[in-house]
Amino acid sequence: MIRNIFVTIVLFMVSSHAAHAQTAGCKDPAATNYDPGATIDNGSCMYPPLTLTPTNKATLASALAENSGMVFWDNKLWTHNDGGSPAAIYQVDTATGQILRTVSVSNATNTDWEEIAQDDAYLYIGDFGNNGTGNRTDLKIYRVSKADVTGTNSVVADVISFSYPQQIIGAASINNTDYDCEAMVVKDGNIYLFTKQWISRGTALYEIPAMPGTYTANLLATQNVGGLITGADIDVSKNMIILSGYNFPIPSRFIYIVYDFTGNAFFASNKRRITISGGAQTEGIAFRNQEYIYLANESSFFGPQRLETINLTTVLSPYLTLLPITQIDLAAK
């Protein structure tokens, strides 16, 4: 009995010490308010203004003038077009911008495809664009097996349908809704949607299961990102999400990086908004590796559809050097 009491007291003292040893603050050495004593990121990091200039990689094939989502998988870049286009995804040559493969989704309709995401086994195609009147309710995500995409040029998709519980259906004008969406990522068996809020100029983060079915999306958070979010990608191993966006009607664009998060508390972590130089209607974004990203731009009055890259080494190296060695990816750039 006495021994059990002693063990309990010791365990309590150890756990209490560990709890008190944790210090919340800004852990990112790149931040202006970096706290070297912080052990838990609390989302307080502040950063100096920064503008990055992308490198033009290629003009995309004319068939991809309406490209609207992008994913990098198995060292291959995949994209798709938005509403009214064929229900298909396209493998793109990153050097020439030409189409290498076309894979049709036989049981799908491209009402308004706006994003493509992935996990280990599947590709997820977001047919959830809703900027016409903001009244669309047939929102869905097509889930396609990567094994099928590898093996054939025509695949059948599972369907994930969802709705926003807060959405009010009524008369609305074009680009006048907070229930449009063009960005998503997949993590830990769930899909995370980042809405394109035309009214609020921010984004709302919703969660739904990454399984076939019909769901009511769970609102997790909202964030003032200073613009319209058009794409997303995630590096799960590094706890990093990157969003693309632009301001409208002002022709300026940006990326918004969140990292060092826990679970799905993405906006409780480090948040950094970086201006991207040059005019373009950027609709797709994807990690090439931990420090390089692709940007895909639609054809617009800025110019033809094109593929760009950005080197984020100077931005992310201070954070990546703090990760355990098992999390550092030394893959070729």
Side-chain angles (χ1 to χ4, degrees):
M1 179 68 178
I2 295 177
R3 180 178 179 276
N4 290 341
I5 294 174
F6 175 76
V7 170
T8 301
I9 293 173
V10 169
L11 290 175
F12 174 78
M13 293 175 64
V14 169
S15 61
S16 297
H17 175 75
H20 288 297
Q22 301 296 320
T23 302
C26 174
K27 290 172 53 183
D28 189 356
T32 57
N33 61 329
Y34 168 55
D35 179 0
T39 58
I40 302 174
D41 258 319
N42 62 359
S44 65
C45 289
M46 297 179 291
Y47 301 91
L50 178 64
T51 298
L52 295 177
T53 300
T55 298
N56 189 56
K57 285 285 290 181
T59 298
L60 295 171
S62 58
L64 299 176
E66 297 290 324
N67 71 88
S68 194
M70 185 169 52
V71 69
F72 192 72
W73 157 53
D74 192 29
N75 290 317
K76 300 177 181 67
L77 190 66
W78 292 84
T79 187
H80 59 80
N81 286 317
D82 62 14
S85 301
I89 59 174
Y90 305 91
Q91 182 191 337
V92 176
D93 187 319
T94 58
T96 67
Q98 296 306 299
I99 295 172
L100 298 176
R101 281 187 66 207
T102 300
V103 177
S104 299
V105 185
S106 61
N107 62 328
T109 300
N110 186 343
T111 301
D112 195 358
W113 289 14
E114 291 290 355
E115 176 68 298
I116 183 169
Q118 65 176 316
D119 60 17
D120 290 341
Y122 296 98
L123 297 176
Y124 299 79
I125 304 164
D127 189 355
F128 42 47
N130 188 30
N131 67 325
T133 62
N135 291 330
R136 186 181 173 193
T137 57
D138 60 334
L139 307 173
K140 60 178 66 69
I141 297 164
Y142 294 108
R143 191 182 76 165
V144 176
S145 165
K146 285 182 172 179
D148 290 348
V149 171
T150 300
T152 181
N153 290 331
S154 180
V155 300
V156 176
D158 299 319
V159 180
I160 302 167
S161 299
F162 71 94
S163 60
Y164 303 109
Q166 297 83 7
Q167 184 178 5
I168 299 173
I169 306 302
S173 57
I174 189 169
N175 296 344
N176 190 34
T177 178
D178 276 350
Y179 293 96
D180 193 10
C181 186
E182 298 188 5
M184 70 175 168
V185 300
V186 184
K187 178 180 183 288
D188 297 336
N190 291 301
I191 297 169
Y192 295 95
L193 307 166
F194 298 86
T195 63
K196 186 180 186 182
Q197 295 184 321
W198 292 92
I199 299 171
S200 303
R201 289 298 196 270
T203 189
L205 172 63
Y206 287 89
E207 178 187 66
I208 59 174
M211 292 290 292
T214 300
Y215 304 99
T216 299
N218 179 31
L219 177 62
L220 298 178
T222 59
Q223 183 66 25
N224 178 11
V225 294
L228 304 173
I229 296 301
T230 62
D233 198 12
I234 186 169
D235 185 330
V236 175
S237 67
K238 312 300 183 302
N239 281 351
M240 290 193 295
I241 291 175
I242 191 161
L243 308 173
S244 61
Y246 56 73
N247 290 292
F248 185 87
I250 301 171
S252 61
R253 55 183 176 152
F254 62 91
I255 58 174
Y256 196 91
I257 311 173
V258 297
Y259 50 100
D260 204 22
F261 47 78
T262 300
N264 60 13
F266 305 139
F267 292 128
S269 64
N270 294 341
K271 301 173 288 290
R272 187 167 188 181
R273 189 182 191 276
I274 298 172
T275 300
I276 304 302
S277 66
Q281 186 173 334
T282 301
E283 295 286 338
I285 191 167
F287 281 107
R288 168 64 178 83
N289 57 33
Q290 66 184 21
E291 294 174 341
Y292 279 72
I293 60 171
Y294 288 115
L295 296 176
N297 308 299
E298 276 193 9
S299 175
S300 69
F301 59 85
F302 292 111
Q305 61 282 357
R306 68 181 192 270
L307 181 68
E308 299 173 307
T309 60
I310 294 180
N311 182 347
L312 294 177
T313 301
T314 56
V315 175
L316 295 175
S317 287
Y319 165 65
L320 293 173
T321 57
L322 298 178
L323 294 177
I325 191 65
T326 54
Q327 288 184 259
I328 301 299
D329 181 7
L330 300 178
K333 298 178 174 63

